Amino acid sequence: MSAEPLLELCSVYKSYDQPVLRGIDLTVRAGEFVTLLGPSGCGKTTILRIIAGLLAPDRGQVRLGGRDITAAPPEKRDVNTVFQSYALFPHMTVAQNVAYALKLRGVDRRQIDARVTRMLALVQMTGSEKKKPDQLSGGQRQRIAIARALIAEPKVLLLDEPLGALDLQLRRQMQLELKKLQQELGTSFVYVTHDQEEAINMSDRIVVLRAGRIEQQGTPDEIYDRPRTGYVATFIGSANLLAGQCDGRGLAAHPAGAMVCPADLPAGPVTLAVRGENILLHTQAPQGPSLAGRVASKRFLGGQLRVEVALTGGDRVVLLRQGIRLEAETGSPVWLSWPASAAVAVQTEGEAPAGEAGR
Amino acid sequence: MARKPRLPARLYLILVVVLTYLPIAVVVLFSFNSSKLPVAWKGFTLDWYRQLFRDRALMQALGNSLLLGVASSFFAAVIGTLGAMGMVRVHYRSKGMMEYLSTLPIMLPEIILGMVFMAFFALLRLPFGWTTLILAHTAFSIPYVYLMVKARLSGIDRSLEEAARDLGAGPARTFFDITLPLIVPAVLSGSLLAFAMSFDDVVISIFVTGPTLSTLPIKVYTHLKTGVTPEINALCTVILGVVVLVLTLSFLLRTRREGSHPSNKEEVP
Amino acid sequence: MKKDRSWLLLAPMYAFTLVFVLGPVIYMAAVSLAHHTAAGFTWQLSLENFRKMADPVYLQCFRQSLLLAFLTTVICVGVGYPFGYIMARLSPRGKRAMMLLIMIPFWTSSLIRLYGWQILLQARGPLNGALLALGIVSKPVKILYTYPAVLIGMVYALLPFMQLAVYNSVEKLDWTLVEAARDLGAGPVRAFLTVTLKLTLPGLMSGVILTFVPSMGLFFISDLLGGNKIVLVGSLIQDQLTRGSNWPFAAALALVLAVITTLLLALYRRVTHTAELEVMF
């Protein structure tokens, strides 16, 4: 991965009746797999369409390989898209669909055939050349859509929630295949999804979007371990947000007791995000800082034990454990603590940002 | 899913269909009847057909009708298709009103249309004959093509055209490679329908044609009013044959070419 | 991205429509206000044509037309609704076959079909022949050139509109709703009345209007099957134009007819909540 940005969005704004994008600054480097993650309506698809040229920004620039392409029409951009609905041309065969981009560029017949064959092999669809899209299953169509978009070797491939229409099993399989494909080809991928699982499994970098703005971006580790806002913390994985008063020396006061927090945090009100799998449960009050409460419920969900604890003072905390046994009964008093590294200070609505600045 | 209709229900369908074809069958039958009067069956003959093809005036009228049909459906196809494409993409506020006006010809009773065209053409001092016939026929043919193409267009996934642009096709190329092939069945269907309507038209043609120019339906109508000759049966059978052919073609076109992308709105062949 | 070119696409249709549809209509409205003279008409604005229409003779004509249109529609509903309903439940192949079967007579020249009815219904025609042979009647029944003949002709010409409208509507029906009603305890009749009928009502209504509207203008049916006894608005207009050369009056009649038609069509759009006519197709 070179350090030179391949694709840049600078201060991109877009509104319809309401603002959709409020100042997006994004860079994608060569060979990177970047995911735009966020709920519907956050603007991620809009960003994609602006990159592709299907939509013009109200303000801002799009640069590819250093060149300003903001005004360039989609056919002149070295960027290709895999559409959510696949958009395979129904009146063309698979081979014709895949070959289309090359045909437009005037590549000669034999070269086209060779490259189409290679591409189909790459997406494991060899032998389907003469079929029509309506004869393929959803997963198969998706592969053809990918093949069609990659054959012209674009600098960046845009993918708009491509796995959304597939069933779980197939989705998981495709996640692996897509990642492999990207690494093999070395093409930059900009991937749009609302599914955090996909984002974490495939991305080199995740950009979390919210209401038209970038909330945070970083590697999956960074996003997961060091969320900067409550939104990011709860969007990926499950996190508990606890408000307390920090004393500036690694401890924060809470109605239910005391919490360990990052040592470098200044004194003052703070919201800590702690992931359920990092919380330790004690059946007796431990030595260090802890929060007291009662076990409210325990449920086996998604392969893990989900324990809900009602803290003194009203807050509820969710713990995640392996296995199905819990050492405490429902209703019995328990104490919760966690290692210092597990707590991250996050910004919630209206608060000043906490933690490291910069991207 | 709904239960398949039982026998009594199916019989009802067949009964109605039979009744519908009864008069047609009668005409066809009697065209082969060697009796002059369509009263009783006297024997098989092709005399009336021979007489028909020898009747210069009728043949001329047939030719006129065919030419008129082709010409008006062609113009209607061009104007209607362009119009449908424009309407689907653009959002002027005058859209609704314009669509209403364009489709008015098929909604107003023909007598009014005929009268109105006649008056207007007279005002413009247009020569009554081919010009006025083609203009009038095109006017009432446009809606058929327009509505069919529009229905088809709105059923097409917009992202298909976007995908073409994305892959490198300019707007013109996108139209020819993607849009056009997908709407061709609708254009053809609409045109065939327009042809059938033009071929069948009596009322409007009577009003806007010139003194010497006659179309087939006009001839038939006058014959029916003044005195029936057995040739008429033969003539009607021929017209029937043409229409059946045209319709079956239209039908086949629609069910064949878009097997993969049927749109809910298309029910008519 | 594509805004520039699109107006070009629309231009031919706009131009043609404005000149050859709107133009004539406006002209006709203007003529209806003109004054009829022996030589043609002069541009003396007057409402005399509209006043003339209030004459009992002409009102009777309108009434007749409306009555005929109404009767036609009722019969079309009675015959057409069951037809469309049953047809919508056939297999896909059955549907297509039936569709083709309906369309052929529909697009066949209406003249041919009327002529066929003329033959069938005449005093010495096959129908009477059959009735006599079966001993149902002892003398040929006069059917042709009577009101029932005209009615048959009208129903015959307009039935397909009803069939198609109902078919389109029933075809899109979500049958699971009917099943749900049955599951909850409704008998077949009850389920039909409360679910199916209600949900296909828009289709039925559009069929009604698509039947009613043209029936007011079909004059040659009454001409051919009714002889001169039955005068409808359509024939009246034609008469005025050809024999009387009374353009202003004819224009006024046409205008009133057009207004009635437009109102009914507006009603159609309201009832079916469709701004599009594609349902016809």
Side-chain angles (χ1 to χ4, degrees):
Chain A
M1 251 188 264
S2 80
E4 278 294 317
L6 175 64
L7 174 70
E8 291 170 84
L9 266 71
C10 309
S11 298
V12 168
Y13 284 79
K14 181 75 187 169
S15 302
Y16 292 113
D17 299 315
Q18 288 176 331
V20 179
L21 296 179
R22 306 172 213 239
I24 299 289
D25 291 278
L26 186 68
T27 52
V28 177
R29 283 177 275 273
E32 229 189 340
F33 193 122
V34 174
T35 297
L36 304 179
L37 179 65
S40 6
C42 69
K44 52 194 197 294
T45 302
T46 310
I47 294 179
L48 220 62
R49 289 170 70 85
I50 288 180
I51 299 176
L54 297 169
L55 214 57
D58 295 334
R59 270 188 292 165
Q61 272 194 344
V62 180
R63 306 175 73 83
L64 186 65
R67 268 180 50 233
D68 184 349
I69 59 168
T70 321
E75 60 269 23
K76 298 242 168 68
R77 302 191 187 198
D78 202 1
V79 166
N80 287 338
T81 310
V82 177
F83 290 82
Q84 197 170 0
S85 62
Y86 316 136
L88 297 180
F89 306 130
H91 58 296
M92 296 188 194
T93 62
V94 162
Q96 288 168 329
N97 262 285
V98 176
Y100 191 62
L102 296 181
K103 229 183 70 170
L104 289 171
R105 286 159 177 75
V107 178
D108 72 81
R109 191 60 195 282
R110 270 203 301 177
Q111 263 235 12
I112 292 186
D113 288 342
R115 286 169 73 168
V116 167
T117 312
R118 228 186 308 145
M119 210 65 219
L120 286 180
L122 203 59
V123 295
Q124 293 154 42
M125 287 292 292
T126 315
S128 61
E129 285 85 346
K130 295 238 166 35
K131 295 216 180 119
K132 284 277 189 71
D134 65 338
Q135 295 171 295
L136 304 174
S137 71
Q140 291 174 320
R141 281 186 221 174
Q142 212 243 26
R143 289 166 204 258
I144 301 300
I146 294 174
R148 182 178 73 174
L150 282 174
I151 200 165
E153 289 163 7
K155 293 209 173 65
V156 181
L157 183 70
L158 308 173
L159 301 102
D160 190 359
E161 306 210 47
L163 307 182
L166 306 176
D167 64 71
L168 193 58
Q169 187 87 305
L170 197 53
R171 238 196 306 203
R172 296 213 166 125
Q173 186 193 334
M174 287 304 298
Q175 284 173 22
L176 294 172
E177 286 190 28
L178 276 174
K179 181 63 181 172
K180 232 182 60 166
L181 196 62
Q182 190 265 336
Q183 284 173 326
E184 261 183 57
L185 294 174
T187 313
S188 301
F189 274 29
V190 178
Y191 190 93
V192 159
T193 184
H194 59 271
D195 184 328
Q196 39 154 319
E197 194 183 285
E198 281 173 15
I200 300 227
N201 286 331
M202 300 195 287
S203 327
D204 294 321
R205 196 152 51 91
I206 302 179
V207 176
V208 181
L209 288 156
R210 184 192 193 194
R213 272 191 262 255
I214 296 182
E215 189 99 331
Q216 185 177 355
Q217 39 180 318
T219 64
D221 283 340
E222 287 168 9
I223 299 285
Y224 194 78
D225 290 333
R226 289 186 289 287
R228 263 188 286 128
T229 66
Y231 176 82
V232 175
T234 49
F235 198 87
I236 305 209
S238 86
N240 298 289
L241 298 175
L242 297 161
Q245 191 74 5
C246 181
D247 64 1
R249 281 174 297 152
L251 223 60
H254 184 275
M259 308 186 284
V260 168
C261 67
D264 56 356
L265 223 53
V270 71
T271 305
L272 294 179
V274 191
R275 298 222 179 258
E277 64 265 26
N278 295 331
I279 301 181
L280 304 164
L281 188 87
H282 311 266
T283 45
Q284 287 173 318
Q287 290 281 29
S290 66
L291 299 175
R294 284 185 182 277
V295 177
S297 72
K298 47 183 180 171
R299 260 198 322 168
F300 187 66
L301 198 64
Q304 294 174 309
L305 189 67
R306 188 178 183 276
V307 183
E308 204 176 316
V309 173
L311 297 177
T312 325
D315 279 352
R316 288 199 163 227
V317 172
V318 173
L319 281 85
L320 297 172
R321 303 269 292 250
Q322 294 297 91
I324 60 171
R325 262 173 290 276
L326 190 67
E327 51 275 28
E329 284 305 315
T330 314
S332 57
V334 290
W335 288 258
L336 306 177
S337 72
W338 51 79
S341 55
V344 181
V346 295
Q347 171 196 355
T348 51
E349 323 295 314
E351 277 182 15
E356 333 87 273
R359 298 192 198 135
Chain B
M1 261 274 101
R3 283 164 291 131
K4 291 278 150 67
R6 281 172 297 203
L7 193 59
R10 289 178 195 265
L11 282 179
Y12 177 74
L13 285 189
I14 297 184
L15 178 68
V16 174
V17 170
V18 165
L19 277 179
T20 314
Y21 277 86
L22 204 55
I24 301 177
V26 166
V27 172
V28 174
L29 200 63
F30 278 111
S31 71
F32 297 110
N33 185 7
S34 65
S35 156
K36 268 209 168 200
L37 299 167
V39 173
W41 181 259
K42 282 248 181 79
F44 184 88
T45 177
L46 285 174
D47 280 345
W48 312 126
Y49 286 92
R50 269 177 241 134
Q51 217 176 315
L52 174 67
F53 290 114
R54 265 184 266 134
D55 186 333
R56 282 277 188 83
L58 276 182
M59 286 294 109
Q60 171 87 313
L62 174 66
N64 291 340
S65 281
L66 285 174
L67 185 58
L68 178 62
V70 168
S72 60
S73 54
F74 173 75
F75 291 130
V78 171
I79 298 178
T81 304
L82 289 177
M85 283 174 45
M87 282 294 195
V88 166
R89 277 147 217 265
V90 165
H91 296 278
Y92 296 138
R93 237 166 292 156
S94 64
K95 224 170 83 156
M97 174 54 75
M98 193 45 72
E99 181 169 295
Y100 172 72
L101 278 179
S102 312
T103 51
L104 202 57
I106 57 175
M107 295 194 281
L108 286 180
E110 295 179 330
I111 180 92
I112 295 183
L113 268 186
M115 210 207 95
V116 149
F117 280 138
M118 179 175 89
F120 192 67
F121 292 152
L123 178 71
L124 291 180
R125 291 192 224 282
L126 292 173
F128 273 81
W130 280 108
T131 319
T132 49
L133 266 181
I134 293 183
L135 280 175
H137 278 234
T138 305
F140 71 69
S141 295
I142 290 178
Y144 295 107
V145 179
Y146 170 78
L147 288 173
M148 283 236 184
V149 175
K150 183 160 168 264
R152 180 74 183 128
L153 266 179
S154 29
I156 295 181
D157 189 358
R158 255 193 72 203
S159 50
L160 288 177
E161 293 175 347
E162 288 181 346
R165 298 289 301 275
D166 178 78
L167 290 168
R173 196 70 199 266
T174 306
F175 173 74
F176 284 108
D177 285 346
I178 311 296
T179 320
L180 195 60
L182 290 174
I183 61 173
V184 157
V187 175
L188 284 179
S189 276
S191 306
L192 285 171
L193 216 57
F195 178 84
M197 292 308 276
S198 163
F199 198 71
D200 181 38
D201 175 68
V202 174
V203 183
I204 298 180
S205 301
I206 287 182
F207 278 103
V208 304
T209 189
T212 53
L213 191 58
S214 196
T215 65
L216 201 55
I218 295 181
K219 269 271 188 294
V220 175
Y221 181 63
T222 15
H223 273 256
L224 286 178
K225 289 215 81 176
T226 57
V228 181
T229 61
E231 294 183 299
I232 291 299
N233 292 329
L235 179 60
C236 289
T237 310
V238 169
I239 297 178
L240 179 68
V242 170
V243 173
V244 170
L245 193 70
V246 166
L247 268 186
T248 316
L249 260 177
S250 167
F251 183 73
L252 285 176
L253 265 174
R254 289 186 94 190
T255 48
R256 275 269 195 85
R257 278 184 90 161
E258 19 161 279
S260 53
H261 269 240
S263 162
N264 285 345
K265 299 178 190 148
E266 292 168 34
E267 304 293 355
V268 173
Chain C
M1 291 261 144
K2 300 173 192 178
K3 265 186 238 166
D4 336 309
R5 297 279 192 80
S6 297
W7 69 268
L8 258 179
L9 293 172
L10 279 175
M13 198 169 89
Y14 267 48
F16 194 90
T17 305
L18 282 174
V19 177
F20 293 110
V21 178
L22 189 58
V25 169
I26 292 181
Y27 183 60
M28 175 187 79
V31 172
S32 72
L33 294 172
H35 173 68
H36 171 65
T37 65
F41 61 91
T42 59
W43 286 107
Q44 260 176 278
L45 287 178
S46 80
L47 288 172
E48 66 190 29
N49 302 303
F50 294 97
R51 257 178 264 140
K52 201 166 166 193
M53 259 191 276
D55 189 304
V57 174
Y58 299 123
L59 283 183
Q60 167 73 339
C61 176
F62 269 102
R63 233 177 284 141
Q64 275 259 36
S65 303
L66 282 170
L67 179 63
L68 184 63
F70 177 74
L71 284 176
T72 306
T73 307
V74 166
I75 297 179
C76 278
V77 171
V79 175
Y81 190 89
F83 193 98
Y85 181 82
I86 298 171
M87 183 178 156
R89 287 161 56 192
L90 293 173
S91 66
R93 262 183 62 199
K95 279 181 194 163
R96 268 185 275 144
M98 195 53 69
M99 184 65 78
L100 188 60
L101 281 178
I102 297 181
M103 296 316 283
I104 290 179
F106 187 43
W107 293 140
T108 307
S109 173
S110 30
L111 285 175
I112 299 179
R113 294 178 292 145
L114 288 171
Y115 176 46
W117 277 114
Q118 253 192 347
I119 300 178
L120 273 174
L121 296 176
Q122 66 188 320
R124 285 176 298 163
L127 180 61
N128 268 311
L131 288 176
L132 281 170
L134 289 172
I136 301 178
V137 294
S138 52
K139 272 192 317 176
V141 181
K142 180 176 166 116
I143 307 178
L144 195 56
Y145 304 128
T146 64
Y147 197 82
V150 178
L151 198 53
I152 292 178
M154 293 283 250
V155 168
Y156 189 73
L158 296 168
L159 188 62
F161 285 110
M162 181 65 71
Q163 289 168 319
L164 283 177
V166 172
Y167 167 75
N168 271 333
S169 187
V170 175
E171 219 261 339
K172 297 195 174 84
L173 185 65
D174 183 356
W175 292 103
T176 59
L177 293 174
V178 182
E179 285 167 2
R182 297 296 302 276
D183 180 71
L184 290 168
V189 177
R190 193 79 187 277
F192 174 78
L193 285 175
T194 50
V195 181
T196 313
L197 192 60
K198 288 251 175 75
L199 289 174
T200 55
L201 206 58
L204 182 59
M205 286 311 296
S206 62
V208 163
I209 288 166
L210 288 174
T211 309
F212 196 83
V213 167
S215 62
M216 291 193 297
L218 292 174
F219 74 93
F220 56 92
I221 292 183
S222 72
D223 240 5
L224 291 175
L225 293 177
N228 286 319
K229 302 227 191 94
I230 302 175
V231 183
L232 299 174
V233 180
S235 357
L236 187 61
I237 293 180
Q238 197 225 9
D239 209 50
Q240 289 292 324
L241 279 173
T242 52
R243 277 198 273 160
S245 286
N246 190 347
W247 282 36
F249 187 52
L253 285 170
L255 192 63
V256 170
L257 192 57
V259 167
I260 297 179
T261 306
T262 310
L263 286 175
L264 285 173
L265 284 168
L267 180 66
Y268 158 84
R269 289 161 110 106
R270 262 295 184 78
V271 162
T272 58
H273 304 288
T274 343
E276 295 145 2
L277 291 162
E278 285 99 62
V279 286
M280 265 173 73
F281 294 89

